[in-house]
Structure formats: structure tokens, C-alpha cells
Amino acid sequence: MYQNQPSRGQRMTQPPRMLSTKDCAYLTDALSWELLAAKKAHTFAMQCSDVQVKNQLEQIGQLHQTHYDILLNHLNSGKSDQQYYGNQYNQ
Amino acid sequence: MHNQGGQYGSYQQRYSGSQSQTIKNPSTQVSKGTEMSDRDRLNDILSTEKYLTSSFNTFVLETSNKNLFNDVLHILNETHHAARDVFNLMFEKGWYTLKQEQPQQIAKEYQKFSGYESQFVGHNHNQHQNQFSTGQDYYPRDY
């Protein structure tokens, strides 16, 4: 069993680098949502006759695939604490 | 992301019933048969994006690890923009109709809610000069 208690007198201001059981459960749920969304967008894009609609659906399918990979990375042990997106809010 | 150019054609603005103005583009025709049309497909994807934004909102609120929080918040944001792009395309195609609210009605609500300003602690009558000056503590930031 993992024990990660701070020594006496120290306090964690934020959770340490790890995944909670809840994080893990949400990640696997979210991966399924993204996979389905990507498949649906790609399938719909192939069925479309309107070029604008087709392009929009392809772009969205691509977005969900990117999101899938970002989420998957959080389950990859060793890399799971790495953030994909930069600290763009600090700029 | 969304570069459909600026050719929205002429807006169809007409009066219906009272004086409410209808704002919509001429509709792009799609088949009305039993099979799904391009319009149906776009609508279905919009529903999917709406579902995803609510789901990711719940997810981001419950993340522990800060890097996971930042990534999930970013995914939530991009999903909102995807939904917006779909909405914009549907509007451009003339598949969305908006009705403009009556200016008198808006003015009435403005009066009513301006009156409620007195209920805030530290309310002062010069509110309009600095009404958006607070809130910096909650600007988007990296944790």
C-alpha cells in the first residue's frame, strides 16, 4: 500500500504528483467519450456531400483524437505527471 | 480555426407576429427523406459537443493532480470552441433562426437589475466607473 504522508510539521499545499482513484476512473471514462466522438465525426465526414460540413466534421474528429492522446498520456506511468499544454495562462 | 470567409449573403430580416425580428440566413437545402442529411449530422455532432462540455466540466472539478487539472480544463475550453464552430456553420447555412428581443423589454430588465445593485455590500453610486475593475484574482491561470 502506498503511503505518502508529509513528515511532522510539513503540510502539502496541493496534492502530490499522482493519480487518485477518481482521476483514473474519470480518465478511462473520458477516453471512451473521445474515442466515440472521434469515430462519429470521421464517419459522418465521409457521408457528407457538403464540403464545408465535411471539413468541419473532419477537423472536429481530429480534435477529439488529439484530446484522446493527451488523456492517454496521463495514464502512461512515468509520464503521467506531465502536462501537455504549456503554461499559457502565465504569459 | 473557423475560416469560412465573410460571405454570409444578405440577412433575411422580417417581421413576424409582433415586432420581433427574425435573424437568419437563407437555408441551404437538404433532403427531407428518412436518411440522415448533412444538417442532421452536424446537429448530432453539436449534441455530442454539448454532452462532452458538461462531462468535462464535472471531470475538471474533481481532478486532484494540477497537471491533470490544467490539461482537462484546456480540453474543456477547446471542446467549447468546437461546439461554437459547429453552431457558426449551422447559422451560416441558414439552419439556425434567432429572434431579436424587443429593445423596450431589454431596457425594462436593465432598470430592474440596476436597482438590485443596492443589495451588494459596499455598493456605491459610482459603480459604473469601476464595475469591471475587480476579479483579477480569478483570471485564468496555471496552478
Side-chain angles (χ1 to χ4, degrees):
Chain A
M1 189 134 173
Y2 289 105
Q3 287 280 328
N4 196 353
Q5 304 285 339
S7 54
R8 253 179 88 84
Q10 280 189 320
R11 233 163 234 292
M12 297 182 282
T13 56
Q14 292 213 22
R17 293 181 169 189
M18 53 93 215
L19 288 182
S20 68
T21 52
K22 201 172 225 183
D23 290 335
C24 190
Y26 267 114
L27 276 167
T28 51
D29 270 7
L31 282 162
S32 311
W33 307 332
E34 294 290 3
L35 182 61
L36 178 61
K39 279 187 182 178
K40 185 150 87 170
H42 283 306
T43 305
F44 281 0
M46 285 190 292
Q47 296 167 350
C48 277
S49 48
D50 185 291
V51 178
Q52 266 184 306
V53 176
K54 191 185 184 71
N55 290 343
Q56 182 64 77
L57 289 172
E58 270 167 4
Q59 195 179 322
I60 283 178
Q62 194 56 53
L63 179 72
H64 291 305
Q65 198 170 328
T66 306
H67 288 171
Y68 185 93
D69 293 336
I70 292 160
L71 294 168
L72 184 60
N73 198 48
H74 282 274
L75 289 180
N76 189 358
S77 60
K79 284 181 163 181
S80 60
D81 61 345
Q82 281 176 16
Q83 189 179 318
Y84 175 84
Y85 290 104
N87 299 340
Q88 75 278 20
Y89 297 132
N90 281 341
Q91 288 159 14
Chain B
M1 212 166 169
H2 194 68
N3 50 353
Q4 254 85 36
Q7 284 103 31
Y8 288 100
S10 56
Y11 284 170
Q12 208 175 314
Q13 298 188 338
R14 45 173 208 263
Y15 292 94
S16 67
S18 58
Q19 289 179 331
S20 283
Q21 233 177 356
T22 301
I23 299 173
K24 110 184 244 308
N25 282 319
S27 303
T28 304
Q29 288 307 306
V30 290
S31 86
K32 295 205 166 70
T34 52
E35 291 200 346
M36 277 182 83
S37 65
D38 286 1
R39 180 180 177 175
D40 293 331
R41 279 183 276 271
L42 213 47
N43 239 324
D44 190 299
I45 282 294
L46 185 56
S47 299
T48 296
E49 299 306 322
K50 286 182 176 179
Y51 167 73
L52 286 174
T53 49
S54 335
S55 304
F56 274 102
N57 196 48
T58 311
F59 186 177
V60 76
L61 285 165
E62 305 212 354
T63 51
S64 65
N65 171 332
K66 71 165 182 173
N67 290 335
L68 184 60
F69 170 86
N70 284 325
D71 276 354
V72 176
L73 184 59
H74 200 107
I75 288 173
L76 173 62
N77 199 327
E78 287 188 342
T79 308
H80 270 291
H81 285 291
R84 185 69 188 172
D85 282 350
V86 173
F87 168 78
N88 283 341
L89 183 55
M90 294 191 76
F91 181 78
E92 186 181 337
K93 292 283 177 195
W95 299 334
Y96 250 100
T97 305
L98 308 174
K99 230 175 203 175
Q100 193 168 359
E101 184 54 276
Q102 303 283 324
Q104 308 94 288
Q105 180 64 22
I106 298 171
K108 205 177 99 191
E109 300 297 355
Y110 178 75
Q111 282 308 315
K112 185 168 108 187
F113 283 92
S114 294
Y116 294 169
E117 289 260 23
S118 63
Q119 295 173 34
F120 288 116
V121 174
H123 165 76
N124 66 66
H125 294 282
N126 299 323
Q127 207 83 39
H128 292 289
Q129 279 152 24
N130 60 355
Q131 59 183 334
F132 302 128
S133 66
T134 58
Q136 293 95 326
D137 287 351
Y138 291 97
Y139 274 176
R141 65 189 188 275
D142 178 56
Y143 282 90

